[in-house]
Amino acid sequence: MTPLSRQRFLKLLTGLSAGLAGLRGASAQSAARLGRQVYLDGELVDEAAASVSVFDHGFLYGDGVFEGIRAYDGRVFELEAHVERLYRSARSILLDVPISPAELSTAIRRTVKANGMTSAYIRPLVTRGVGNLGLNPRSSKRPGVIIVVGEVGMFPADRYETGIQLVTCATRRVSPAALSPQIKSMNYLNNIMAKIEANNAEADEGLMLNAEGLVAECTGENLFVVRDGGVVTPPTTAGALDGITRRVALQMAETLGIPGAVANLTTHDIYAADECFLTGTGAEIVPVAALDGRRIGDGRPGEVTRRLMERYAELTRATGVPIG
């Protein structure tokens, strides 16, 4: 090869490299433009184009309801139960969901499928809709329906082996006499304030008590204690959400021959428990190692907790509504 042809060859390689770099950049930009698909009032739109009006009362006042749902291996777990609860929450605040439960279920599966996911965390929301700057909901004429999907990890993976650290928060759970804990509203400030306390204490999660000093729930999960081989969880009247995973845990306990009960609990009952664990759609079933620096049991996930964790993992991957 002559010096001239070699020079031309090097220029050609340089040009090809630049061209390939340009194509890679264009592909990356194209992928970024595609982005995540969001369900917005009947349409699937790119997340970059998905927007809610600043006059939507869900944005202005947290006036709306939501659910947290999970899909595992191509199936949506407890879909019907979650959709039913969302509609109950909406009825409780006089919010008319503009689509039927069956249509919402279809939209949820459609959104997961559009994002090419087989396992996902799903967040359907119904907002009051666009209105004026006053808080009167009558100014909002049409509720908005939004569905977003993604991934979630409430706690580091190693905590499911070692257990999490809890701290009791000074922030008390809002009284059921003021606002029912059964409404999963878009205003979670009560829980967020307690979560800030837990963060400041370097704890994994915060325990919330009610005005009477009884255990209500954690900032994002229901709580169970294990004593004398049985499981006990606080009643909804104490301020606990009627959690879907909480109900599943009680059903699993019955199936496994583990006694289950719903009863008021105090922090003493947790300190003195044989085991403790939390339940929630995002957290699943996570063991608790300590509360307020007091080791629970031997400070490690106990036998009952592990049995329920194993059974829950089996259920989530064997049951549910196919995404399609």
Side-chain angles (χ1 to χ4, degrees):
M1 186 178 288
T2 66
L4 181 60
S5 62
R6 185 180 297 113
Q7 188 177 33
R8 286 177 177 170
F9 180 66
L10 291 173
K11 284 183 178 179
L12 178 61
L13 283 179
T14 302
L16 284 171
S17 297
L20 287 171
L23 285 172
R24 285 194 294 269
S27 296
Q29 290 172 4
S30 177
R33 282 197 298 271
L34 286 173
R36 184 177 300 164
Q37 297 297 295
V38 176
Y39 179 95
L40 185 62
D41 293 328
E43 301 292 335
L44 285 170
V45 299
D46 187 90
E47 63 176 322
S51 61
V52 176
S53 170
V54 294
F55 289 96
D56 191 305
H57 279 209
F59 172 77
L60 289 173
Y61 299 110
D63 187 358
V65 296
F66 78 96
E67 275 294 319
I69 311 173
R70 286 186 79 152
Y72 297 88
D73 297 338
R75 296 173 180 269
V76 184
F77 187 62
E78 293 289 333
L79 176 60
E80 183 178 353
H82 281 286
V83 169
E84 286 180 356
R85 188 171 65 179
L86 183 141
Y87 278 78
R88 287 198 300 271
S89 292
R91 284 197 299 272
S92 189
I93 66 170
L94 291 173
L95 176 59
D96 293 325
V97 184
I99 59 177
S100 70
E103 289 171 325
L104 180 60
S105 296
T106 298
I108 287 170
R109 291 184 286 116
R110 176 188 171 198
T111 307
V112 177
K113 186 175 182 180
N115 283 278
M117 303 178 78
T118 56
S119 296
Y121 184 77
I122 310 158
R123 173 61 57 85
L125 309 97
V126 182
T127 73
R128 184 71 67 177
V130 176
N132 59 34
L133 288 175
L135 60 79
N136 192 335
R138 287 184 175 179
S139 69
S140 300
K141 303 304 181 185
R142 180 174 175 80
V145 179
I146 304 163
I147 305 169
V148 294
V149 300
E151 298 176 348
V152 68
M154 296 299 184
F155 302 105
D158 67 306
R159 297 296 195 277
Y160 290 84
E161 293 298 324
T162 63
I164 62 172
Q165 302 288 319
L166 294 186
V167 64
T168 302
C169 299
T171 300
R172 295 300 174 101
R173 190 72 178 93
V174 170
S175 169
L179 180 67
S180 172
Q182 308 322 310
I183 301 171
K184 279 186 74 74
S185 82
M186 290 168 59
N187 187 336
Y188 247 47
L189 191 57
N190 183 217
N191 304 65
I192 291 168
M193 295 306 296
K195 188 66 175 181
I196 290 172
E197 286 188 56
N199 290 343
N200 288 341
E202 300 296 330
D204 295 303
E205 179 58 301
L207 176 70
M208 301 182 73
L209 308 179
N210 62 22
E212 288 71 43
L214 298 172
V215 174
E217 59 185 6
C218 288
T219 70
E221 304 85 17
N222 291 112
L223 179 140
F224 283 76
V225 297
V226 179
R227 58 189 182 196
D228 301 325
V231 298
V232 185
T233 191
T236 57
T237 52
L241 173 72
D242 185 14
I244 305 297
T245 312
R246 171 181 178 269
R247 278 191 263 161
V248 170
L250 288 169
Q251 292 164 1
M252 291 191 305
E254 182 178 4
T255 301
L256 294 171
I258 300 169
V262 176
N264 283 321
L265 296 173
T266 64
T267 52
H268 168 77
D269 293 315
I270 303 174
Y271 298 152
D274 300 320
E275 304 173 33
C276 180
F277 61 88
L278 308 184
T279 64
T281 298
E284 301 177 305
I285 298 179
V286 59
V288 176
L291 169 64
D292 300 331
R294 295 163 174 84
R295 187 176 66 183
I296 297 171
D298 63 5
R300 295 176 295 181
E303 180 185 352
V304 172
T305 301
R306 286 196 177 278
R307 289 179 66 192
L308 290 170
M309 290 172 69
E310 290 169 4
R311 179 57 182 153
Y312 187 75
E314 293 170 358
L315 273 179
T316 57
R317 285 162 178 79
T319 63
V321 179
I323 293 170

